[in-house]
Amino acid sequence: MPAASSNAALRVTGLRKAYQDVVAVNGLDLEVRAGECFGLLGPNGAGKTTTVEICEGLTVPDSGEVELLGMHWSSEAEQLRQRLGIQLQDTQLSEKLTVHETLRLFRSFFDQGPGADEAIALVQLEEKKNSRVGNLSGGQKQRLALACALVGDPDFLFLDEPTTGLDPQARRQLWDLIEQFKSSGRTILLTTHYMDEAERLCERVAIMDNGKQIALGTPRELIASICAEHLVAFSAGAKSQSLDLPALRKISGVRDVRSEKGTVEMQVTELHLAVPALLAELTRQNIPLTELSTHSATLEDVFVSLTGRHLRDE
Amino acid sequence: MSETTAIPEIRARAAEKKSPRGKTFAEHALVQLTIVRFLETLREPEALFWIFAFPILLAAGLGLAFRNKPAEVLKIAATSRAITQSLQREKLLAVQQMDSHDAEEALRTGKIALLAVPGENGAVTYRYDDTNPEGRTARMLADRAVQQAAGRVDPVHASDEILREPGSRYIDFLIPGLIGMNLMGSAIWGMGFTVVDARRKKLLKRLVATPMPKPYFLLAYLLSRILMLVLEVGIVLGFGAWIFHVPVRGSLLSLAAVCLIGSLAFSALGLLLASRARTIEAASGLMNAVMLPMWIASGVFFSAQRFPDVVQPIIKALPLTAAIDALRANMLQGANLVQLGPQMGVLAVWMIVSFVLALKLFRWR
Ligand SMILES: Nc1ncnc2c1ncn2[C@@H]1O[C@H](COP(=O)(O)OP(=O)(O)OP(=O)(O)O)[C@@H](O)[C@H]1O
Ligand SMILES: [Mg+2]
């Protein structure tokens, strides 16, 4: 498919990387199309960072191929470096330098791109221009890291958990910045634990677990794939042991029921039918409700239905 | 998908963007790395203390402790008036007449170095501690005074001429030693801690993710050291010259050359020591293990000649020995660069070998 291939900004085939005790990436294939924002989702230790760092040319894979912007790390590393914007998962920039000094330094490595002042304006850090990096808030530090990634005017942007640890407001601010960059037609590969982040920013997502891709598609497709638009969760307090789960599965519109630590979760297609039926069934079993909640299905629920685990252990 | 961009387009755009206006000097990566490195050092208060304040405090302290004092007047006592009067002829003795109880007490507590007690028939007994040099000196001076008062005439006439030339005092020996020690300490610590810290914080990894040429990063460290060097040597040297009148007999240019090559050699050694360590603890252990023998053996505080002859070739091959020997030869004997050749050679070898090894071994992540 020549048409498709000329459209792939990043193509990864058969990627494998093992460390002493774990196989971090285990036979991964990925294709990121030019101009899209692609999300790599997965729990801690899924192999997201390892994958991204192999694509960035920082880690050498045990086997597999990476083709990035039509180039290869083995032969065109220097040109590639000029074209990439990179944010690593946990870099601490030098605390003793100011925002402006930091960006001037990073800018000096690239042949072209916005000047330090322009990059500062891009991430709205103007009033912090002369502050030491050590005195910035978490969100400001992340915006500075983003500016460092943008300062070479990259065609491809790698963002490894850009909003982890930030408060909701700082996250939204960073999302706006990423969307701005996206709208200028450049390509992004982003990793995250946050499903809402992926749903908001990414055209397509791949879900990773134990070094493998377990799902791929647009957020909408993936949610549709579990055939349940809604999730109902309830808890029955002390009585949960005597709960008759098979009976719940028979309720019409219920697709799946699982019970975990006293909380029961049900995947449901038609909420308006399932909830009254559930209440009636619980009354029949003589079980009092202590809690009941419903929400629309998210990527998180996709992950749970694929692996039986939650993305983040909370 | 009309809005997505195909790869050929991206490459074309890259090519078109890539007619960069020439970078100014200040925008060059090596210049930026050097500036940043220099700023980071200046903004590190603890490092500034060790580089600037510490050697000056050390020089001041040791300079005071070991200053060549004018011969000190020794305090002694006598229990009789006649002996007291005889002893007063000696200008280097301060004599007090005391009753025997007070005098014994003063001798026991070290307030006086010697007690002269009259014996039978005009004889004198000196009571003093012969393990105390002051006591022995006081004995000689007191006896001479007593004998001369009793009429002894020395057969040979002797007179004294006193020399206290700058250049031959302990402080003159010490200042070049401290400059050498400072060159080594600030270079090795300055390199080691910052490199390992940057590695620990993944800053090194972030930098190699940019198109930064890797040797620039290491070179910038060496260059910023040269900037610091002017300050750190200048301050210690200026202090020694101003307060203690320590001489600089050689040319300042060759002194600068010695400091430069010395600092580069130590910086390269520092890079080498920091090239793999992932924690500050590991790095500082390694750095101290390398520096400690040199502090002891390289003649910072006392001459390296005191060590046995068998180890002299090893001591001479140490970079700190070479640096200090060259500094002393320049400052105290006025040696020129040709005469400093052997030491400069030793330093150059250390510099080149360490830098090449560091480049090879360096762990960026
Ligand atoms: N340098 C390394 N040495 C040994 N093991 C490693 C190394 N880097 C990663 N691993 C292991 O590889 C696995 C994948 O790690 P990776 O960092 O890629 O996960 P991740 O998906 O990015 O996780 P997180 O969401 O926590 O960032 C983990 O089990 C990790 O312990
Ligand atoms: Mg990660």
Side-chain angles (χ1 to χ4, degrees):
Chain A
M1 283 193 301
S5 79
S6 78
N7 224 12
L10 169 67
R11 184 176 310 104
V12 169
T13 38
L15 209 58
R16 205 188 124 85
K17 176 77 187 177
Y19 291 109
Q20 302 85 338
D21 46 348
V22 278
V23 182
V25 182
N26 193 359
L28 188 75
D29 301 312
L30 278 182
E31 194 175 287
V32 177
R33 298 172 191 149
E36 81 175 337
C37 177
F38 187 91
L40 209 50
L41 266 66
N44 286 124
K48 305 182 296 292
T49 298
T50 308
T51 304
V52 167
E53 289 184 356
I54 291 173
C55 296
E56 292 164 344
L58 294 173
T59 303
V60 180
D62 296 339
S63 61
E65 282 239 5
V66 175
E67 187 190 310
L68 186 52
L69 301 174
M71 294 183 263
H72 293 269
W73 281 111
S74 52
S75 53
E76 289 147 307
E78 223 154 284
Q79 294 97 300
L80 263 174
R81 289 251 165 269
Q82 288 288 348
R83 312 295 333 128
L84 302 185
I86 288 177
Q87 182 188 33
L88 297 176
Q89 183 170 356
D90 41 20
T91 300
Q92 291 162 272
L93 295 164
S94 181
E95 309 218 316
K96 301 209 169 51
L97 300 178
T98 66
V99 168
H100 189 260
E101 286 159 355
T102 304
L103 285 168
R104 212 173 45 185
L105 173 70
F106 275 86
R107 175 63 183 81
S108 77
F109 304 142
F110 291 90
D111 289 341
Q112 97 271 303
D117 288 307
E118 221 178 309
I120 289 170
L122 224 53
V123 297
Q124 295 152 24
L125 276 177
E126 287 98 335
E127 70 270 43
K128 292 286 166 188
K129 180 178 162 183
N130 293 314
S131 305
R132 299 269 176 95
V133 172
N135 297 335
L136 297 182
S137 71
Q140 289 163 344
K141 277 186 185 144
Q142 287 289 33
R143 277 188 279 156
L144 175 59
L146 181 63
C148 289
L150 295 179
V151 87
D153 192 16
D155 289 323
F156 200 113
L157 188 60
F158 288 98
L159 301 173
D160 198 355
E161 302 199 17
T163 66
T164 298
L166 300 187
D167 59 69
Q169 192 204 340
R171 294 177 63 202
R172 268 193 294 277
Q173 198 170 12
L174 214 73
W175 289 347
D176 288 339
L177 293 174
I178 295 171
E179 270 174 344
Q180 258 175 44
F181 177 81
K182 228 173 78 171
S183 66
S184 63
R186 262 72 72 90
T187 314
I188 303 176
L189 176 60
L190 169 137
T191 79
T192 182
H193 294 276
Y194 299 111
M195 297 302 120
D196 51 346
E197 183 162 297
E199 280 165 44
R200 157 126 184 222
L201 293 176
C202 299
E203 272 81 40
R204 292 192 309 143
V205 297
I207 301 183
M208 272 186 89
D209 193 29
N210 292 323
K212 287 193 172 113
Q213 175 182 306
I214 55 172
L216 173 73
T218 66
R220 198 166 282 284
E221 282 165 7
L222 290 177
I223 292 167
S225 75
I226 58 171
C227 302
E229 290 98 61
H230 301 281
L231 275 290
V232 176
F234 69 88
S235 92
K239 282 265 201 144
S240 21
Q241 266 86 354
S242 50
L243 199 61
D244 178 10
L245 287 179
L248 295 183
R249 288 207 175 89
K250 291 196 196 94
I251 299 174
S252 79
V254 172
R255 289 196 43 87
D256 193 17
V257 179
R258 66 179 82 235
S259 165
E260 199 179 302
K261 292 184 211 129
T263 304
V264 180
E265 264 186 20
M266 309 196 308
Q267 295 180 6
V268 165
T269 43
E270 286 155 308
L271 199 60
H272 60 288
L273 298 179
V275 170
L278 169 68
L279 295 178
E281 176 64 23
L282 288 179
T283 314
R284 192 188 65 77
Q285 293 185 23
N286 195 19
I287 289 185
L289 262 185
T290 58
E291 233 179 272
L292 175 72
S293 67
T294 75
H295 66 94
S296 317
T298 65
L299 285 174
E300 173 87 26
D301 303 308
V302 176
F303 184 80
V304 174
S305 95
L306 286 171
T307 66
R309 287 177 288 124
H310 282 272
L311 264 166
R312 284 183 291 153
D313 330 299
E314 278 153 291
Chain B
M1 274 195 274
S2 57
E3 56 177 61
T4 57
T5 327
I7 292 303
E9 267 175 68
I10 288 179
R11 301 197 76 165
R13 192 171 65 202
E16 155 197 326
K17 274 192 294 196
K18 188 166 180 157
S19 51
R21 72 190 167 84
K23 279 190 184 175
T24 65
F25 177 74
E27 286 167 353
H28 193 272
L30 185 56
V31 177
Q32 276 299 319
L33 280 163
T34 308
I35 292 175
V36 154
R37 190 61 219 108
F38 187 62
L39 288 177
E40 281 173 332
T41 315
L42 286 185
R43 290 171 188 174
E44 185 105 61
E46 302 87 344
L48 290 186
F49 171 80
W50 288 107
I51 294 176
F52 297 122
F54 178 68
I56 286 180
L57 292 177
L58 203 59
L62 291 171
L64 281 178
F66 292 98
R67 72 186 184 281
N68 300 45
K69 300 165 265 196
E72 218 167 87
V73 175
L74 295 172
K75 285 185 186 151
I76 63 169
T79 50
S80 82
R81 182 164 175 76
I83 297 178
T84 307
Q85 277 176 346
S86 310
L87 288 172
Q88 274 163 350
R89 298 164 52 103
E90 176 54 64
K91 287 199 281 303
L92 293 176
L93 295 174
V95 196
Q96 249 185 312
Q97 191 182 340
M98 296 181 176
D99 66 45
S100 53
H101 177 267
D102 287 352
E104 288 292 340
E105 171 78 20
L107 183 62
R108 208 173 45 248
T109 55
K111 291 202 183 91
I112 55 172
L114 175 136
L115 172 60
V117 191
E120 312 259 314
N121 307 326
V124 183
T125 305
Y126 303 116
R127 298 171 55 85
Y128 64 99
D129 176 357
D130 78 333
T131 63
N132 176 0
E134 288 195 347
R136 292 200 302 268
T137 311
R139 159 73 172 75
M140 275 161 48
L141 294 170
D143 194 46
R144 188 175 69 183
V146 168
Q147 302 295 355
Q148 284 178 353
R152 184 177 84 183
V153 180
D154 292 330
V156 176
H157 178 77
S159 64
D160 301 332
E161 191 178 329
I162 291 167
L163 291 172
R164 265 174 231 144
E165 272 289 299
S168 55
R169 304 159 306 170
Y170 181 62
I171 188 74
D172 304 316
F173 178 84
L174 181 66
I175 289 284
L178 286 181
I179 292 177
M181 186 179 81
N182 206 25
L183 282 181
M184 175 172 83
S186 60
I188 290 185
W189 273 315
M191 289 286 159
F193 286 128
T194 42
V195 167
V196 175
D197 198 43
R199 184 178 294 123
R200 195 174 57 82
K201 291 177 169 165
K202 309 257 174 85
L203 184 56
L204 290 185
K205 189 170 162 190
R206 179 64 187 89
L207 288 175
V208 285
T210 70
M212 175 190 79
K214 289 182 190 174
Y216 278 14
F217 178 79
L218 302 181
L219 265 179
Y221 267 72
L222 300 192
L223 291 176
S224 76
R225 293 284 325 139
I226 296 175
L227 291 175
M228 288 304 290
L229 188 67
V230 177
L231 296 176
E232 67 191 41
V233 174
I235 284 179
V236 179
L237 200 61
F239 173 82
W242 179 46
I243 302 290
F244 292 108
H245 308 289
V246 172
V248 182
R249 302 213 166 100
S251 81
L252 278 178
L253 206 65
S254 50
L255 183 67
V258 171
C259 291
L260 180 67
I261 190 152
S263 179
L264 290 179
F266 291 124
S267 304
L269 186 58
L271 271 186
L272 178 62
L273 295 177
S275 60
R276 302 199 65 79
R278 283 217 171 91
T279 62
I280 299 281
E281 290 77 11
S284 67
L286 194 58
M287 292 188 292
N288 289 339
V290 167
M291 286 196 286
L292 187 68
M294 292 200 263
W295 283 325
I296 296 170
S298 288
V300 177
F301 300 103
F302 55 87
S303 170
Q305 306 291 339
R306 294 197 187 195
F307 289 96
D309 286 345
V310 271
V311 294
Q312 286 298 333
I314 303 173
I315 291 181
K316 287 246 183 310
L318 295 174
L320 186 56
T321 317
I324 292 178
D325 284 354
L327 288 167
R328 286 205 180 115
N330 173 277
M331 289 170 61
L332 306 181
Q333 280 116 48
N336 62 29
L337 271 184
V338 179
Q339 291 161 311
L340 299 177
Q343 288 91 352
M344 300 288 271
V346 169
L347 291 173
V349 168
W350 276 98
M351 174 180 78
I352 294 167
V353 171
S354 303
F355 192 71
V356 170
L357 272 180
L359 259 183
K360 269 204 179 349
L361 293 177
F362 204 81
R363 189 178 358 224
W364 290 94
R365 47 186 306 174

